Amino acid sequence: MRSWSAPKIPRLPGAGFPLRLFDTAAGEVVPTRPGPTARMYVCGITPYDATHLGHANTYLAFDLIGRAWRDAGHEVHFTQNTTDVDDPLLERATQTGVDWRELAEREIDLFRTDMEALRILPPRDYVGVTEVIGQVAALVERLREKGATYTLDGDVYFDVAAAPKFGAVSGYSEEHMLALSAERGGDPARPGKKHPLDWLLWRAERPGEPSWPSALGRGRPGWHVECTAIALANLGPGFDVAGGGSDLIFPHHECGAHEGHVACGEWPFAKAYVHAGMVALDGEKMSKSKGNLVFVSRLRREIDPTAVRLALLAHHYRADWEWTADQGVRAGERLARWRSAVSAPAGPEAEGVLRGVRDRLADDLDAPGALAVVDGWVERVLAGEGGDPGAPALVRDVVDALLGVGL
């Protein structure tokens, strides 16, 4: 599947610092230790509606990871999926009378446009599930050969008893996992399952639903296994970061981790599980099911897309926070000050800005702290301090390369 265009990243003097991130499975901030190529998988959208600020908040977080790794001298192999066949997409297509393939294509194209506008670096591999049905089916067969599955009325389930480390990613109690399974696309109450937490790997063909032939019978993938298959095919096991919003901790990342473990025999499936916080509107988490969305495509028609990015950067990526219109106003004012400062003929030395922004991002992506570093330099320029004619250009490059803010 076609990705989107990448902005040019300026080269900075020296090299960035080793990156530390909060690993959900470890419950603490840990150092990342990628090899020459850092490998990252980030779960993509289900394209039944437009990109909202919650999506943007998540993908900006992992964009910062890629930028920090590149600045530290690593190549970055970034893979992302799009779930272009799934129940929510099919339901929306039925409701609106649009073919599900047409709906998916339209929303994926809008997503690409939104990501370009926000200067999110594109994945090397952007993979639609419908492109890799055979790979997913082959992984389910592999799990079946390992004795980790069973069949119920033609559907293939993962047997949670085959996952001895189940719960190690989320750390949740069984009671909490059961509640989240029911809330987030699982079927814990389905009669005939061996355990309520067993999850669907392959959904047998239903009338009126898309399906594909396979050794498992005609059908389509379950939700979690698609990401496992795509990550394995493109990154291999033991990749550096698996990421997404915090609502993916369970069941999505928990289940995928154990599919990968059983299939490959390697634990952990990803070295770190990293999650972005939720964005709320009017006191509730922004979600398509609730309809309380701020769409990126609409917002960037109202304010500069760079100001949208700055508004997101003002929050730590792991924080849950609430969007208000005044945040866009404040971000626009900050953007105007920054642009004025880097247009000055000279400014105070900027090596401290480079060092400070690198330091803040290396410490679990402290973007608000990085903004404060730049703000301090900007205020000095606007107060009339000068001295170094090369400083404005260096600051411009720092915020472009590390924060993705084009001035």
Side-chain angles (χ1 to χ4, degrees), residues 126-198:
Y126 189 43
V127 185
V129 173
T130 57
E131 298 177 306
V132 293
I133 298 291
Q135 287 180 12
V136 178
L139 177 57
V140 176
E141 289 184 72
R142 189 170 168 185
L143 294 170
R144 184 168 63 180
E145 292 166 2
K146 300 277 189 177
T149 73
Y150 63 91
T151 302
L152 177 60
D153 298 330
D155 297 333
V156 182
Y157 277 85
F158 190 100
D159 186 348
V160 74
K165 296 180 180 291
F166 195 74
V169 172
S170 65
Y172 295 158
S173 67
E174 182 171 316
E175 180 182 11
H176 190 39
M177 288 192 283
L178 285 168
L180 290 177
S181 177
E183 177 186 327
R184 297 174 178 173
D187 56 0
R190 181 176 180 178
K193 290 173 61 175
K194 293 183 177 181
H195 190 284
L197 288 173
D198 295 342

Side-chain angles (χ1 to χ4, degrees), residues 43 169 242-245 248-258 273-275:
C43 299
V169 172
L248 296 186
I249 295 172
F250 190 91
H252 191 58
H253 283 157
E254 186 75 62
C255 295
H258 301 285
Y273 286 85
V274 179
H275 297 98

Side-chain angles (χ1 to χ4, degrees), residues 30-349:
V30 300
T32 64
R33 296 187 176 92
T37 299
R39 297 174 294 157
M40 176 169 63
Y41 185 90
V42 180
C43 299
I45 62 167
T46 300
Y48 65 93
D49 211 338
T51 317
H52 58 72
L53 272 185
H55 293 134
N57 186 64
T58 294
Y59 299 125
L60 175 57
F62 296 97
D63 180 70
L64 293 179
I65 291 174
R67 289 172 183 272
W69 272 337
R70 287 177 173 89
D71 184 51
H74 301 282
E75 294 291 326
V76 177
H77 189 165
F78 166 30
T79 299
Q80 187 173 69
N81 77 307
T82 186
T83 305
D84 58 350
V85 61
D86 199 16
D87 291 345
L89 172 65
L90 301 177
E91 291 165 4
R92 179 62 59 86
T94 299
Q95 292 167 5
T96 57
V98 177
D99 184 87
W100 64 273
R101 288 156 293 202
E102 180 184 338
L103 175 60
E105 183 177 353
R106 183 183 73 206
E107 298 304 336
I108 291 169
D109 192 53
L110 181 56
F111 176 75
R112 292 188 189 102
T113 304
D114 288 336
M115 294 298 99
E116 284 187 6
L118 294 177
R119 305 186 82 238
I120 304 294
L121 299 176
R124 181 187 301 184
D125 317 298
Y126 189 43
V127 185
V129 173
T130 57
E131 298 177 306
V132 293
I133 298 291
Q135 287 180 12
V136 178
L139 177 57
V140 176
E141 289 184 72
R142 189 170 168 185
L143 294 170
R144 184 168 63 180
E145 292 166 2
K146 300 277 189 177
T149 73
Y150 63 91
T151 302
L152 177 60
D153 298 330
D155 297 333
V156 182
Y157 277 85
F158 190 100
D159 186 348
V160 74
K165 296 180 180 291
F166 195 74
V169 172
S170 65
Y172 295 158
S173 67
E174 182 171 316
E175 180 182 11
H176 190 39
M177 288 192 283
L178 285 168
L180 290 177
S181 177
E183 177 186 327
R184 297 174 178 173
D187 56 0
R190 181 176 180 178
K193 290 173 61 175
K194 293 183 177 181
H195 190 284
L197 288 173
D198 295 342
W199 65 90
L200 187 67
L201 296 170
W202 185 260
R203 179 178 169 89
E205 182 178 26
R206 265 65 160 180
E209 292 187 3
S211 62
W212 288 262
S214 77
L216 306 163
R218 287 194 66 88
R220 59 183 171 89
W223 175 28
H224 317 304
V225 72
E226 66 186 48
C227 285
T228 307
I230 293 169
L232 279 173
N234 292 281
L235 301 174
F239 53 97
D240 296 288
V241 164
S246 60
D247 55 345
L248 296 186
I249 295 172
F250 190 91
H252 191 58
H253 283 157
E254 186 75 62
C255 295
H258 301 285
E259 292 164 350
H261 182 207
V262 171
C264 301
E266 184 172 331
W267 184 266
F269 181 52
K271 294 176 185 175
Y273 286 85
V274 179
H275 297 98
M278 296 290 102
V279 181
L281 180 69
D282 301 327
E284 291 191 283
K285 183 190 85 168
M286 206 174 288
S287 70
K288 293 177 180 178
S289 62
K290 293 178 180 175
N292 60 335
L293 303 176
V294 176
F295 292 117
V296 172
S297 55
R298 295 176 188 170
L299 186 61
R300 60 184 173 84
R301 289 197 295 267
E302 298 170 3
I303 62 177
D304 190 320
T306 305
V308 176
R309 185 171 178 113
L310 271 173
L312 296 172
L313 287 167
H315 302 273
H316 191 272
Y317 81 98
R318 285 196 285 119
D320 295 333
W321 54 279
E322 183 168 357
W323 169 259
T324 54
D326 64 297
Q327 294 176 54
V329 174
R330 292 199 302 271
E333 293 170 349
R334 172 179 263 153
L335 179 60
R337 290 195 304 273
W338 285 19
R339 284 178 169 163
S340 177
V342 299
S343 298
E349 66 83 23

